[in-house]
Amino acid sequence: SLALQITGVILLAVGVWGKLTLGTYISLIAENSTNAPYVLIGTGTTIIVFGLFGCFATCRGSPWMLKLYAMFLSLVFLAELVAGISGFVFRHEIKDTFLRTYTEAIQNYNKNDERSHAVDNVQESLSCCGIQSYTNWSTSPYFFKHGIPTSCCMNSSDCNTQDLRNMTVAATKVNQKGCYDLVTSFMETNMGIIAGVAFGIAFSQV
């Protein structure tokens, strides 16, 4: 039971880390997003609670409690497999899905809604701009009114709306790298970690 609770703490920690690290990126791929981090958080918390139940059942020597505990362990194993499979499947679907949803996010960008905030967070945290490059913003309705978003700027203090409305001037002010390759690589690596931990813990428990 103690060993099981340790694995529960590990799963909980990895689930929380996955949610905090990948939350912004998952929100941009909402159509086909993965529940793997949530499954790990729920499973980890449940394991910790039922680990105590297992200790209690053993101390009492109650057959029905021990059978219930065994049934619980089987369900935990299945939940971990689901999280692992979900992580690996989502990891390979990221590229096509992200290209479509990020293009839509740029076309519907308004700087105010949740998806627009997610776009800004991605561009700021990864120091990137647009899909393949900053020029992708030239087709966005937002560009015609406000220019390229300030989240693309290499130095926010050296960026103003007038510069960002001019593609030639903006080229010297914004990040040159597109976000597509950076995000898909980042997501594939981190979803691979989550899936690997889920499978590793599941089979170590067996």
Side-chain angles (χ1 to χ4, degrees), residues 29 92-102 180 184:
I29 315 175
H92 294 295
E93 291 179 349
I94 288 171
K95 289 189 175 180
D96 291 339
T97 305
F98 181 71
L99 181 60
R100 183 175 67 258
T101 56
Y102 201 65
Y180 176 73
T184 52

Side-chain angles (χ1 to χ4, degrees), residues 25-190:
Y25 306 94
I26 289 174
S27 69
L28 278 172
I29 315 175
E31 279 184 13
N32 264 336
S33 62
T34 176
N35 290 319
Y38 299 102
V39 172
L40 292 186
I41 291 171
T43 303
T45 304
T46 308
I47 285 175
I48 293 170
V49 173
F50 273 84
L52 297 174
F53 176 80
C55 290
F56 179 72
T58 304
C59 292
R60 290 288 301 272
S62 172
W64 72 268
M65 282 185 174
L66 291 172
K67 288 178 182 177
L68 182 63
Y69 186 52
M71 186 183 302
F72 157 73
L73 292 180
S74 300
L75 293 175
V76 164
F77 177 72
L78 291 175
E80 289 165 348
L81 285 184
V82 167
I85 292 170
S86 172
F88 272 119
V89 169
F90 184 70
R91 182 170 175 257
H92 294 295
E93 291 179 349
I94 288 171
K95 289 189 175 180
D96 291 339
T97 305
F98 181 71
L99 181 60
R100 183 175 67 258
T101 56
Y102 201 65
T103 301
E104 291 172 0
I106 286 179
Q107 290 302 313
N108 298 317
Y109 182 89
N110 60 19
K111 205 175 179 63
N112 297 316
D113 62 20
E114 183 181 350
R115 187 162 275 199
S116 295
H117 288 315
V119 169
D120 286 333
N121 286 337
V122 167
Q123 293 189 147
E124 288 172 357
S125 61
L126 296 181
S127 297
C128 59
C129 187
I131 305 166
Q132 281 81 26
S133 75
Y134 68 95
T135 57
N136 296 126
W137 281 102
S138 63
T139 61
S140 172
Y142 181 86
F143 174 78
F144 297 107
K145 295 181 180 179
H146 309 284
I148 298 173
T150 54
S151 57
C152 281
C153 293
M154 289 186 283
N155 184 354
S156 57
S157 63
D158 189 34
C159 263
N160 59 61
T161 304
Q162 187 175 351
D163 291 342
L164 295 174
R165 283 179 177 174
N166 186 320
M167 273 292 175
T168 305
V169 177
T172 63
K173 306 282 185 177
V174 301
N175 293 303
Q176 301 294 308
K177 287 184 179 179
C179 297
Y180 176 73
D181 288 336
L182 293 175
V183 169
T184 52
S185 176
F186 181 81
M187 287 288 285
E188 284 180 341
T189 299
N190 286 280

